[in-house]
Amino acid sequence: MFELGVVYRNIERGDAATAARLGASGTATVHEAMGRVGLMQPYMRPIYTGAQAAGTAVTVLLQPGDNWMLHVAAEQIRPGDIVVAGVTAECTDGYFGDLLATSFKARGARALIIDAGVRDVRVLTEMRFPVWSKAISAKGTVKSTLGSVNVPIVCAGALVTPGDIVVADDDGVVVVPRAMAAAAAVAASAREANESAKRDQLAQGTLGLDMYGMREPLQKAGLRYVD
Amino acid sequence: MFELGVVYRNIERGDAATAARLGASGTATVHEAMGRVGLMQPYMRPIYTGAQAAGTAVTVLLQPGDNWMLHVAAEQIRPGDIVVAGVTAECTDGYFGDLLATSFKARGARALIIDAGVRDVRVLTEMRFPVWSKAISAKGTVKSTLGSVNVPIVCAGALVTPGDIVVADDDGVVVVPRAMAAAAAVAASAREANESAKRDQLAQGTLGLDMYGMREPLQKAGLRYVD
Amino acid sequence: MFELGVVYRNIERGDAATAARLGASGTATVHEAMGRVGLMQPYMRPIYTGAQAAGTAVTVLLQPGDNWMLHVAAEQIRPGDIVVAGVTAECTDGYFGDLLATSFKARGARALIIDAGVRDVRVLTEMRFPVWSKAISAKGTVKSTLGSVNVPIVCAGALVTPGDIVVADDDGVVVVPRAMAAAAAVAASAREANESAKRDQLAQGTLGLDMYGMREPLQKAGLRYVD
Amino acid sequence: MFELGVVYRNIERGDAATAARLGASGTATVHEAMGRVGLMQPYMRPIYTGAQAAGTAVTVLLQPGDNWMLHVAAEQIRPGDIVVAGVTAECTDGYFGDLLATSFKARGARALIIDAGVRDVRVLTEMRFPVWSKAISAKGTVKSTLGSVNVPIVCAGALVTPGDIVVADDDGVVVVPRAMAAAAAVAASAREANESAKRDQLAQGTLGLDMYGMREPLQKAGLRYVD
Amino acid sequence: MFELGVVYRNIERGDAATAARLGASGTATVHEAMGRVGLMQPYMRPIYTGAQAAGTAVTVLLQPGDNWMLHVAAEQIRPGDIVVAGVTAECTDGYFGDLLATSFKARGARALIIDAGVRDVRVLTEMRFPVWSKAISAKGTVKSTLGSVNVPIVCAGALVTPGDIVVADDDGVVVVPRAMAAAAAVAASAREANESAKRDQLAQGTLGLDMYGMREPLQKAGLRYVD
Amino acid sequence: MFELGVVYRNIERGDAATAARLGASGTATVHEAMGRVGLMQPYMRPIYTGAQAAGTAVTVLLQPGDNWMLHVAAEQIRPGDIVVAGVTAECTDGYFGDLLATSFKARGARALIIDAGVRDVRVLTEMRFPVWSKAISAKGTVKSTLGSVNVPIVCAGALVTPGDIVVADDDGVVVVPRAMAAAAAVAASAREANESAKRDQLAQGTLGLDMYGMREPLQKAGLRYVD
């Protein structure tokens, strides 16, 4: 774990159809469906509004200020993958720009999730290549120290194992371990079905207090109303 | 003050027409008109560009990671209200999403101001339900501990008393105490009338140095020009 | 240096055509072309997406919470200038709004770069007057203490000498000293020419590993592939 | 509220003996005893380890970069008071140094709580005049704009009303409204009595799981043990 | 992974003697010896200067604002363990105080590493029970939602697997996977032996430029000296 | 300016006696004496309480995560110098530890000021080698990319020219340009003489309001007293 200088070529990827279903549910629903674990920290933001992606993780462990391993990772990308990159120390440099995005896209990558900075965001936005990052910075990087590809990494506070399903949208980024993905997709769909009916009721003025039966527990907890 | 477990049902709301006038002036002008007090900290940002709202405050005191009282607050909303929520400790969780927004909107709320996180921001944006928040996060919340509704609260560094007029736009969020609202609206309008003429002059190339008569005080203060 | 109470009227400005060429290259390319120096810190963000500017620096040294010297600076602006403002202490107040923007624009300014806050961002956006700032805040400022105009300043971690060429876009803000500008423009153009061909190759699926000849140095560095 | 340019001379102070009792309990216990409200944000830190203070609040509303009102506040200090200062905008300047500390001490003040910066911390430490602040900074301040003394203020996220009891130690700063002080002191003492016995048991190896009877609720909540 | 509601009772702990050797080397040396991976983020600070600890990790996954699982973890502590706690969302609450410290100490724990807040720091310091944390806060926590004990967790950006060796001192916190521990201890000792001789040379005025043979590589890299 | 790959060997240093006098005055007084310019940002903190230093600046421009130039700088140190290091991008790595400190001390350096991280702080404290830094981190650095020595740099928001006088203590770090140093020392001494008499008066209970003659300007500014 946290090995440096290694590229694992054969990783077991989560199921593509499950990834698609989870993506359709969105991060907030998926995170609930998982029991509220697996969310990256909220400083991870999409470079453009409305960005959405779901896919299987190719992980990259980067050195600070050094994007060499993103080039190594490109070769390991298969269509439907999302590259997820952590760094061994805090860094806001711009590791990724339009050239790497062109390469990643040509290899079939759906997105980049990086716990550092990116650049060329105007061009990335025009290409509609979505990136979730900690920073935007014109600062470039060198190519001199080895990291790894497809080892377990920590990205923005979340553990990511190669092949995990990653779901990202305007609300953030959630990591779904492969073994939990099918169950999470079922639970997420159930939540959505449930929410649709509730939305209609609430739109008609029904209070959540009544719809969820909260009045009694609130009273038991001691809530007082004062006129 | 800072009572827990209480809902005040009868609050005295600021005047709706005054709220509308203040909203038309915008936060920067209103804040000046108030003598530069009442501004929330600048980390409070709208979830979409161009969001604007003005209304009367229904306040909510929340516990960290617990949105129970937002459901309780929904019942206290009257058309024209803005829900303003503080938390008893720092928290970036997503307390509010599209279901609560549907309910708040159905009750007549114009906006949410929350010193914590929100989620479902894509849907909230489509609904044009404006929210000013400290964070965006897919992290959900529980419903287990009491807070209060319509007690004085602190939100993003500003004291908010129930019924205060709240004005929010791209520049931030300002709180106008009920007793100061009429005077603030008059002062804000006066500033605006004044600014319109100045804008024309400046657009024609007149310098603020001359228009505001600054040359003499600058000279007195000792400003030197070097060629 | 860091003199207070002085306005230098005659500064030597960088070449306008060179500024235009550097602006066309963009901050990421210019920063690389300069050997990776001169970048402001990444907390400097444009007030609207897609903002772009390049020009010659008129510098302003401001006191915290005091925008008097921006009015003094307005008189020193010539068409093609960018006003770059540093503050003697950390401050997020809204130093600049639509009136000053109207004045700056009338004088020919192309942008404001300020290591503090701005306000009226909706109007500034409608005017298409680009600003890069540390914060957005409705908080106004006073006009009571002298700073300076056209002295060397520090803005967001970068040293800016009056007349330097400043390039700003979605990726950040880069400062190019006058003496380095011509060489930087040549180097930036060379980089761009080079990148265009690479982009085509990468789009066709060629890997950076092969295109840049990285396989051998990676192997020498000890990279292991595991199947 | 948030009036500028006013000094209230006659404020009703909380009871000195109650303040002393609350101070003896410490912030963590008092905060629990109050139902977990009234705590300032954790960025407020003492300038020296081991600082402890409890007293009645003289409040000050300051302008950014301007410490004029601290001089005005000095006259309102009575023995046993703690000066609590909020600022109308974010500021890290050093508002308070050894001269003001000498004056405050001579007037009987026990501490300063300030949502901004202080300086001369070596001398303040030698004087044993405790200060809790957001920052330490050599940056001085001007004396040019009015704020207020003894109006309700917000300091580090907490509402402080003049005369409230303030308790501060290494764990932070808690504000106890006058009306709640007696009850809070009783509750705090009860907690302490209770804790002493528990401490002994825990020291002998008894588990909290058993002492607090947590095993059954944990099991009901579904906790599984895996060997 | 990231399972909620589970306690693993039988974990394989790293070797105690190896932990002691790594502790004697200190975090900076151990981190180098590991190839510069495994370091927690630098916001993790000891509650008192000079704190030092090394031991085997008992991990805890906490919910925000809820310290229930620390009580569950107490039972799993064996002499020589260090409790390492991550939280499913950002939180600065004071999860741990003198009662839990008494219990942990009685069970043989050497330290607590927590990606959240602690309280009672004065008493913890007197007890010499070292804690590395993100914050200090008097804010207490509830006991209502399950997390887990002895599952892999992320703490301050580092992955921690139960039984890993943890080394902490004034410079930060390093996690050494069990499988790497013996090799890391050897490498760390080798570094130290090497450093001692170098220290003597440097103390006598020898330059690192000469001692490390840097002059030639610097010249090759193009370093110019200007008189 | 901001040249990479250059070492200036002959710099003009500020006067040693003046540096000593400024050091005796301390940062707060010196900063006032300079007209409130030249202060580094308040995130720069000493690694131990009570650290004090004054000397002449040897400047270093570092690359992120690379401390090669600190070794180059060691050779340029003369007794009485303070090494001041800026980085071309944000970085919290531990650039400096006990070996470099031993070397710097042997060369006569009085302190290090670095806009990044340091490590081995326990040993540095025992050696009484003072460091002011942005972070403390066990993370080491590489030696692969050139920066410069004795070029003008930006460190924590302040411009530092080689040979400037640097004064640092518990309140922060101030940079005094060589040309201003003599005047600043005189002004600082005058302030101190003045302060001593004031301190006595304040200690006897005289109010600053009376001692500074503030009552009349406060009244003119409109201050109202309410009984």
Side-chain angles (χ1 to χ4, degrees):
Chain A
M1 218 154 270
F2 290 138
E3 290 167 283
L4 292 174
V6 188
V7 180
Y8 287 89
R9 271 195 283 233
N10 298 320
I11 62 169
E12 214 165 328
R13 285 168 168 85
D15 177 57
T18 306
R21 280 178 64 190
L22 289 165
S25 294
T27 56
T29 299
V30 169
H31 183 244
E32 292 287 349
M34 285 178 66
R36 293 184 184 161
V37 293
L39 189 65
M40 290 190 189
Q41 289 182 346
Y43 63 70
M44 294 296 283
R45 300 298 304 146
I47 57 167
Y48 55 85
T49 301
Q52 281 181 295
T56 41
V58 163
T59 65
V60 189
L61 183 60
L62 297 165
Q63 300 284 354
D66 189 315
N67 77 346
W68 214 9
M69 299 314 285
L70 288 178
H71 290 277
V72 175
E75 192 176 26
Q76 307 306 318
I77 294 170
R78 294 198 195 157
D81 282 345
I82 289 179
V83 178
V84 186
V87 187
T88 61
E90 291 179 318
C91 189
T92 58
D93 290 357
Y95 279 78
F96 181 89
D98 69 329
L99 288 183
L100 265 168
T102 300
S103 178
F104 276 31
K105 205 172 178 180
R107 306 289 299 178
R110 289 193 178 156
L112 170 70
I113 315 284
I114 185 165
D115 196 2
V118 289
R119 57 184 187 171
D120 298 333
V121 295
R122 192 177 53 76
V123 179
L124 298 183
T125 302
E126 286 165 9
M127 291 171 64
R128 302 316 268 181
F129 187 84
V131 178
W132 283 256
S133 73
K134 180 164 86 173
I136 292 170
S137 171
K139 178 75 163 66
T141 48
V142 299
K143 294 168 207 340
S144 66
T145 311
L146 294 186
S148 290
V149 173
N150 283 332
V151 296
I153 61 162
V154 171
C155 180
L159 175 62
V160 190
T161 302
D164 282 353
I165 289 174
V166 175
V167 181
D169 57 23
D170 287 329
D171 290 344
V173 184
V174 179
V175 182
V176 186
R178 229 166 4 100
M180 296 174 62
V186 169
S189 298
R191 283 187 72 89
E192 286 185 293
N194 189 13
E195 286 192 354
S196 179
K198 284 180 186 164
R199 194 175 291 108
D200 292 347
Q201 278 188 270
L202 294 168
Q204 285 157 29
T206 303
L207 287 164
L209 289 179
D210 297 312
M211 194 174 77
Y212 297 111
M214 288 175 176
R215 293 195 191 273
E216 196 185 316
L218 283 164
Q219 195 183 348
K220 276 190 187 157
L223 189 67
R224 289 184 304 120
Y225 283 86
V226 178
D227 287 322
Chain B
M1 217 154 268
F2 289 138
E3 292 166 282
L4 292 174
V6 188
V7 181
Y8 286 89
R9 270 196 284 234
N10 297 320
I11 62 169
E12 214 165 328
R13 283 169 170 84
D15 177 56
T18 306
R21 281 178 63 191
L22 289 164
S25 294
T27 56
T29 299
V30 169
H31 184 244
E32 292 288 348
M34 285 179 67
R36 294 187 183 160
V37 292
L39 190 65
M40 290 190 188
Q41 289 181 345
Y43 63 69
M44 294 295 283
R45 299 300 305 146
I47 57 167
Y48 55 85
T49 300
Q52 282 182 295
T56 42
V58 163
T59 65
V60 190
L61 183 59
L62 296 165
Q63 300 284 354
D66 189 314
N67 77 347
W68 215 7
M69 300 313 286
L70 287 178
H71 290 278
V72 174
E75 191 175 26
Q76 306 307 318
I77 294 170
R78 293 198 197 156
D81 282 345
I82 289 178
V83 178
V84 185
V87 187
T88 62
E90 290 180 318
C91 189
T92 58
D93 291 356
Y95 278 78
F96 182 89
D98 69 328
L99 288 184
L100 265 169
T102 301
S103 178
F104 275 31
K105 204 173 178 180
R107 305 290 299 177
R110 290 193 178 154
L112 171 70
I113 315 286
I114 185 165
D115 196 0
V118 290
R119 57 185 187 170
D120 298 333
V121 296
R122 195 177 52 76
V123 179
L124 297 183
T125 301
E126 286 165 9
M127 292 172 64
R128 300 318 267 182
F129 187 84
V131 178
W132 283 256
S133 72
K134 180 164 85 173
I136 292 170
S137 171
K139 178 76 164 66
T141 48
V142 299
K143 293 167 208 337
S144 66
T145 313
L146 294 186
S148 291
V149 173
N150 283 333
V151 296
I153 61 161
V154 172
C155 179
L159 174 62
V160 190
T161 302
D164 282 353
I165 289 174
V166 176
V167 181
D169 58 24
D170 287 328
D171 290 344
V173 184
V174 180
V175 182
V176 185
R178 231 173 356 107
M180 295 174 61
V186 169
S189 298
R191 283 188 71 88
E192 286 185 293
N194 189 13
E195 286 191 354
S196 178
K198 285 179 185 163
R199 194 174 292 108
D200 292 347
Q201 279 187 269
L202 294 167
Q204 285 157 27
T206 304
L207 287 165
L209 289 178
D210 298 311
M211 193 176 76
Y212 298 111
M214 287 173 176
R215 292 197 190 271
E216 196 185 317
L218 284 164
Q219 195 183 350
K220 277 190 186 157
L223 188 66
R224 287 184 306 119
Y225 284 85
V226 178
D227 286 321
Chain C
M1 218 155 270
F2 289 139
E3 291 166 281
L4 292 174
V6 187
V7 181
Y8 286 88
R9 271 195 284 235
N10 298 319
I11 61 170
E12 214 166 327
R13 284 168 168 85
D15 176 57
T18 307
R21 281 179 64 191
L22 289 165
S25 294
T27 57
T29 299
V30 170
H31 185 245
E32 292 288 350
M34 286 178 65
R36 293 186 184 161
V37 291
L39 189 66
M40 291 191 188
Q41 288 182 347
Y43 63 70
M44 294 295 284
R45 299 299 304 147
I47 57 168
Y48 55 85
T49 300
Q52 282 181 297
T56 42
V58 163
T59 65
V60 190
L61 182 61
L62 296 165
Q63 300 284 354
D66 190 313
N67 77 346
W68 215 9
M69 299 314 285
L70 287 178
H71 290 278
V72 175
E75 191 175 27
Q76 307 307 318
I77 294 169
R78 293 197 196 158
D81 282 345
I82 289 179
V83 179
V84 185
V87 188
T88 61
E90 290 180 318
C91 189
T92 59
D93 292 357
Y95 279 78
F96 181 89
D98 69 329
L99 289 184
L100 266 169
T102 301
S103 178
F104 276 31
K105 205 173 178 180
R107 304 291 297 179
R110 290 195 177 152
L112 171 70
I113 315 286
I114 185 165
D115 196 1
V118 290
R119 57 185 187 170
D120 299 333
V121 295
R122 194 176 52 76
V123 179
L124 298 183
T125 302
E126 286 166 9
M127 291 171 64
R128 301 318 266 180
F129 188 84
V131 178
W132 283 256
S133 72
K134 180 164 85 172
I136 291 170
S137 171
K139 178 77 163 64
T141 48
V142 299
K143 292 167 209 339
S144 66
T145 311
L146 293 186
S148 290
V149 173
N150 283 333
V151 296
I153 61 162
V154 172
C155 180
L159 174 62
V160 190
T161 301
D164 281 353
I165 289 174
V166 176
V167 181
D169 57 24
D170 287 329
D171 290 344
V173 184
V174 179
V175 182
V176 185
R178 227 168 3 102
M180 297 174 60
V186 170
S189 297
R191 283 187 72 89
E192 287 185 294
N194 189 14
E195 286 192 355
S196 179
K198 285 180 186 164
R199 194 175 291 109
D200 292 346
Q201 279 188 268
L202 293 168
Q204 285 157 28
T206 303
L207 286 164
L209 288 178
D210 298 311
M211 193 175 76
Y212 298 110
M214 288 174 175
R215 292 196 190 272
E216 195 184 317
L218 284 164
Q219 195 183 349
K220 276 190 187 158
L223 188 66
R224 288 184 305 121
Y225 284 86
V226 178
D227 286 322
Chain D
M1 218 155 268
F2 289 139
E3 290 166 283
L4 292 174
V6 188
V7 180
Y8 286 89
R9 271 196 282 233
N10 298 319
I11 62 168
E12 215 165 327
R13 283 169 169 83
D15 178 57
T18 307
R21 283 178 61 192
L22 289 165
S25 294
T27 57
T29 300
V30 169
H31 184 244
E32 293 288 348
M34 286 178 66
R36 292 186 185 161
V37 292
L39 189 65
M40 290 191 189
Q41 289 182 347
Y43 63 70
M44 294 296 283
R45 299 299 305 146
I47 57 167
Y48 55 86
T49 300
Q52 281 182 297
T56 42
V58 162
T59 65
V60 189
L61 183 60
L62 296 165
Q63 301 284 353
D66 189 315
N67 76 346
W68 215 8
M69 300 313 287
L70 288 178
H71 290 278
V72 175
E75 191 175 26
Q76 307 307 319
I77 295 170
R78 294 197 196 156
D81 282 345
I82 289 179
V83 179
V84 186
V87 187
T88 61
E90 291 178 318
C91 190
T92 58
D93 291 355
Y95 278 78
F96 182 90
D98 70 329
L99 288 184
L100 266 169
T102 301
S103 178
F104 276 31
K105 206 173 177 180
R107 306 289 299 178
R110 290 193 179 155
L112 171 70
I113 315 285
I114 185 165
D115 196 0
V118 290
R119 56 184 188 172
D120 298 333
V121 296
R122 193 177 52 76
V123 180
L124 298 182
T125 302
E126 286 164 10
M127 293 171 63
R128 300 318 268 181
F129 187 84
V131 178
W132 283 255
S133 73
K134 181 164 85 173
I136 291 170
S137 172
K139 178 77 165 66
T141 48
V142 298
K143 294 166 206 342
S144 66
T145 312
L146 294 186
S148 290
V149 173
N150 283 334
V151 296
I153 61 161
V154 172
C155 180
L159 175 62
V160 189
T161 302
D164 282 354
I165 289 174
V166 175
V167 181
D169 58 23
D170 286 330
D171 290 344
V173 185
V174 180
V175 182
V176 185
R178 230 170 359 103
M180 297 174 60
V186 170
S189 298
R191 283 187 72 89
E192 286 184 294
N194 189 13
E195 286 191 355
S196 178
K198 285 179 185 162
R199 193 174 292 108
D200 292 346
Q201 279 189 267
L202 294 167
Q204 285 157 28
T206 304
L207 286 165
L209 289 178
D210 297 311
M211 192 175 77
Y212 298 111
M214 286 174 176
R215 292 196 190 272
E216 196 184 317
L218 283 165
Q219 194 182 350
K220 276 190 185 157
L223 188 66
R224 288 183 305 120
Y225 284 85
V226 178
D227 285 323
Chain E
M1 217 154 269
F2 290 139
E3 291 167 282
L4 292 173
V6 188
V7 181
Y8 286 89
R9 272 196 282 232
N10 297 321
I11 62 169
E12 213 165 327
R13 284 168 169 83
D15 177 57
T18 307
R21 280 179 64 192
L22 289 165
S25 294
T27 57
T29 299
V30 170
H31 184 244
E32 292 288 348
M34 286 178 66
R36 295 188 183 158
V37 292
L39 188 66
M40 291 193 188
Q41 289 182 346
Y43 64 71
M44 294 296 283
R45 299 300 304 147
I47 57 167
Y48 56 85
T49 299
Q52 281 182 296
T56 42
V58 163
T59 65
V60 190
L61 183 60
L62 296 165
Q63 301 283 354
D66 189 314
N67 76 346
W68 215 8
M69 300 313 285
L70 288 178
H71 291 278
V72 175
E75 191 174 27
Q76 307 307 318
I77 295 169
R78 294 198 196 155
D81 282 344
I82 289 180
V83 178
V84 186
V87 188
T88 61
E90 291 179 317
C91 189
T92 59
D93 291 357
Y95 279 77
F96 181 88
D98 70 329
L99 289 184
L100 266 168
T102 301
S103 177
F104 275 32
K105 205 173 178 179
R107 304 289 298 178
R110 291 194 177 153
L112 171 69
I113 315 285
I114 185 165
D115 196 0
V118 290
R119 55 184 189 172
D120 299 332
V121 295
R122 194 177 52 77
V123 180
L124 298 183
T125 302
E126 285 165 10
M127 292 171 64
R128 300 319 267 180
F129 187 84
V131 178
W132 283 257
S133 72
K134 180 164 84 174
I136 291 169
S137 171
K139 178 76 166 63
T141 48
V142 299
K143 294 167 206 341
S144 66
T145 312
L146 294 185
S148 291
V149 173
N150 283 333
V151 296
I153 61 162
V154 172
C155 180
L159 176 61
V160 190
T161 302
D164 281 354
I165 289 174
V166 175
V167 181
D169 57 23
D170 287 329
D171 290 345
V173 185
V174 179
V175 183
V176 185
R178 227 167 4 101
M180 295 174 62
V186 170
S189 299
R191 284 187 71 89
E192 287 185 293
N194 189 13
E195 287 192 353
S196 179
K198 285 180 185 163
R199 194 174 290 108
D200 293 345
Q201 280 189 267
L202 293 168
Q204 285 157 27
T206 304
L207 287 165
L209 289 178
D210 297 313
M211 192 175 78
Y212 297 111
M214 288 174 175
R215 293 196 190 271
E216 195 184 319
L218 283 164
Q219 194 183 350
K220 275 190 187 157
L223 188 66
R224 288 185 304 120
Y225 284 85
V226 178
D227 286 321
Chain F
M1 218 154 268
F2 289 139
E3 290 166 282
L4 292 174
V6 187
V7 181
Y8 286 89
R9 270 196 282 234
N10 298 319
I11 62 169
E12 214 166 326
R13 284 168 169 85
D15 177 57
T18 307
R21 280 178 64 190
L22 289 165
S25 295
T27 57
T29 299
V30 170
H31 184 243
E32 293 287 348
M34 284 179 66
R36 292 184 184 160
V37 292
L39 189 66
M40 291 191 187
Q41 290 183 345
Y43 63 69
M44 294 295 283
R45 300 298 306 146
I47 58 167
Y48 55 84
T49 300
Q52 282 181 296
T56 41
V58 162
T59 65
V60 190
L61 182 60
L62 296 165
Q63 301 284 354
D66 189 314
N67 77 346
W68 214 9
M69 299 314 285
L70 288 178
H71 290 277
V72 175
E75 191 175 26
Q76 306 308 317
I77 294 170
R78 294 197 196 156
D81 281 344
I82 289 179
V83 179
V84 186
V87 188
T88 61
E90 292 178 316
C91 188
T92 58
D93 291 356
Y95 278 77
F96 182 89
D98 70 328
L99 287 183
L100 265 168
T102 300
S103 177
F104 276 31
K105 204 172 178 180
R107 305 289 299 177
R110 292 195 175 151
L112 171 70
I113 316 284
I114 184 165
D115 196 1
V118 290
R119 55 185 188 172
D120 298 332
V121 295
R122 193 176 53 75
V123 180
L124 298 183
T125 301
E126 287 165 8
M127 292 171 64
R128 301 318 266 182
F129 187 84
V131 178
W132 284 257
S133 72
K134 180 164 85 174
I136 291 169
S137 172
K139 177 76 164 65
T141 48
V142 298
K143 293 167 207 343
S144 67
T145 312
L146 294 186
S148 290
V149 173
N150 283 333
V151 296
I153 61 161
V154 172
C155 179
L159 175 62
V160 190
T161 301
D164 282 354
I165 289 174
V166 176
V167 181
D169 57 23
D170 286 329
D171 290 344
V173 184
V174 179
V175 182
V176 185
R178 227 166 5 100
M180 296 173 61
V186 170
S189 299
R191 283 188 71 89
E192 286 185 294
N194 189 12
E195 287 192 353
S196 179
K198 285 180 185 164
R199 194 174 291 108
D200 292 345
Q201 279 188 267
L202 294 168
Q204 285 156 28
T206 303
L207 286 165
L209 289 179
D210 298 311
M211 193 175 76
Y212 298 111
M214 287 174 176
R215 293 197 190 272
E216 196 184 316
L218 283 164
Q219 195 183 348
K220 275 191 187 157
L223 188 67
R224 287 184 305 119
Y225 284 86
V226 178
D227 285 323

